[in-house]
Amino acid sequence: MDRRETGARLEALRGRDDFLILAVETSCDDTSAAVTRGREVLSLAISSQTEIHRRFGGVVPEIASRNHTCAIGAVVNEALEKAGVPASGIDAVAVTYGAGLPGALIVGVSYAKAFAYAAGIPLMAVSHVRGHVAANYIADGTLEPPFLCLLVSGGHTQLIDVRGYTDMVVMGETRDDAAGEAFDKTARVLGLPYPGGPEIEKLAAKGKASIEFPRALRREKTLDFSYSGLKTAVVNYLREAELRGEPADPADVAASFQKAAVDALIRNAEKALKITGRDTLAAAGGVSANGCFRRELEALGKRTGVKTIVPPPVLCTDNAAMIGVCAYVMIRSGEAAAPPSLDTAPSLPTA
Ligand code: KG4
Ligand code: ZN
């Protein structure tokens, strides 16, 4: 089947909302596949490599790609089986082509290209960040742009004005570390395993947010974020406490760090709501699985009368379901299929 025929197949899908997408996501250390229909997730399979990378204290790119290669076939089969759909029943393939680790992305992109070519169906190239945003279309079946989205993951911290399904403007972003990166680095300083976000959250539950860590850029007009100073402040606090001979309580440090990190996110989101006048604030990315963040976001909604949406934790962290639903809104918005020469885009910008 040539490109013209797959193009015609894609055109035929645009007016429908019941077609089936097989989505593949391999941008970091989770191998994931899903079958979606419209905004509905028929199945989601995730093979996590967390245990493999934990002993290195972070994701080792080469090991991640090798494990994606080993897992991808079984993960796709699991997604098809769970959905009760044969490979021949799939109408389009969606794949994350960036941003992410080059060697990890290439596994998913190669697999998706081969699947689409063999089946003669269109392939949609999906941005990982836009996929995270799309997790909110699953969480709230009625959500439509425009809305604001706070994207907080291991690689990104951005305030995104979602003006249309495929039209986004980044209003603010981190000048140094991403929020998730700050959780991971601070966890390491506290001797906690990778990934640090959930570990900090568990430890913080046992402590008090009694230490005043600095809030960077608080008094500035910008909607940007900065997290490297917060991590340094934690390092300095621990060192000074040790020099004084009064070791700090790690649970209090974790709770205070978490509060400072979340405060910065909520403060800028509130500023952006005022500037744009948007009435809906969505969240996305691994850090939005954090309980403290979710509570503060809800409180912001109550305080300002703005509707807030946070996907369930499994859809906050990396997963293929969000990629499938992102491809669905792209198809419905008239986006073109990817060419057979599709390459990965490890540094793909959000907008
Ligand atoms: O979106 P994600 O799964 O992958 C990227 O695209 O980066 O985000 C992973 C990040 C990691 O930094 C991880 O520590 C953080 O999300 N994270 C959390 C929590 N769960 C995951 N951070 C804080 N609290 C959590 N419960
Ligand atoms: Zn992600």
Side-chain angles (χ1 to χ4, degrees):
M1 189 174 289
D2 66 17
R3 273 199 82 191
R4 237 188 357 227
E5 281 175 75
T6 39
R9 278 200 171 200
L10 184 62
E11 286 311 316
L13 297 180
R14 295 209 200 276
R16 288 171 45 194
D17 55 13
D18 62 345
F19 56 90
L20 297 178
I21 294 180
L22 170 70
V24 172
E25 152 68 47
T26 63
S27 68
C28 190
D29 63 338
D30 288 317
T31 317
S32 182
V35 177
T36 58
R37 179 172 53 208
R39 294 179 175 213
E40 196 188 345
V41 182
L42 299 189
S43 67
L44 171 59
I46 303 176
S47 168
S48 167
Q49 300 179 19
T50 302
E51 290 307 321
I52 298 167
H53 296 281
R54 184 165 277 158
R55 65 195 154 110
F56 303 105
V59 177
V60 183
E62 176 57 30
I63 295 177
S65 2
R66 224 177 307 147
N67 281 286
H68 283 311
T69 308
C70 296
I72 186 82
V75 169
V76 168
N77 285 342
E78 185 187 334
L80 290 169
E81 265 166 38
K82 275 189 182 165
V85 175
S88 58
I90 295 295
D91 297 299
V93 181
V95 68
T96 306
Y97 77 115
L101 300 172
L105 287 165
I106 211 163
V107 178
V109 167
S110 309
Y111 190 98
K113 272 173 38 170
F115 191 106
Y117 183 77
I121 54 178
L123 171 68
M124 300 303 291
V126 178
S127 143
H128 182 72
V129 166
R130 289 180 175 220
H132 272 301
V133 173
N136 288 283
Y137 298 131
I138 306 172
D140 181 332
T142 64
L143 176 65
E144 282 177 22
F147 59 91
L148 267 185
C149 186
L150 188 49
L151 171 78
V152 279
S153 70
H156 292 82
T157 302
Q158 295 184 327
L159 258 166
I160 304 170
D161 191 27
V162 184
R163 298 181 176 183
Y165 286 110
T166 58
D167 176 14
M168 296 175 208
V169 174
V170 176
M171 300 186 69
E173 61 190 328
T174 185
R175 294 183 182 178
D176 38 60
D177 291 350
E181 203 178 346
F183 269 90
D184 294 339
K185 286 182 175 172
T186 303
R188 203 175 309 162
V189 169
L190 287 170
L192 300 170
Y194 171 86
E199 299 292 331
I200 294 245
E201 182 173 5
K202 267 188 259 162
L203 185 59
K206 298 180 200 149
K208 295 182 299 298
S210 51
I211 309 157
E212 263 302 309
F213 287 129
R215 268 64 164 171
L217 308 175
R218 175 157 41 184
R219 292 188 210 297
E220 292 185 33
K221 273 209 172 128
T222 178
L223 292 174
D224 282 350
F225 304 87
S226 169
Y227 277 109
S228 64
L230 177 56
K231 186 207 69 188
T232 309
V234 172
V235 170
N236 289 343
Y237 181 87
L238 291 170
R239 194 179 300 140
E240 282 161 22
E242 205 170 303
L243 285 176
R244 281 199 311 272
E246 311 161 359
D249 179 347
D252 286 351
V253 174
S256 306
F257 161 81
Q258 181 175 262
K259 181 80 177 55
V262 168
D263 273 359
L265 299 173
I266 299 295
R267 186 187 62 232
N268 277 10
E270 188 162 4
K271 273 198 227 170
L273 285 171
K274 278 198 191 119
I275 292 169
T276 58
R278 299 278 181 241
D279 61 3
T280 306
L281 173 63
V287 180
S288 58
N290 181 276
C292 171
F293 173 78
R294 296 168 85 90
R295 285 190 296 277
E296 294 291 332
L297 192 79
E298 205 187 317
L300 171 65
K302 288 218 173 94
R303 198 163 67 238
T304 57
V306 161
K307 176 176 171 178
T308 56
I309 305 165
V310 200
V314 67
L315 297 178
C316 288
T317 47
D318 290 348
N319 69 88
M322 67 187 193
I323 302 301
V325 173
C326 190
Y328 166 71
V329 300
M330 286 166 69
I331 291 172
R332 299 275 298 185
S333 304
E335 295 263 307
S341 58
L342 173 70
D343 200 355
T344 58
S347 307
L348 185 70
T350 302

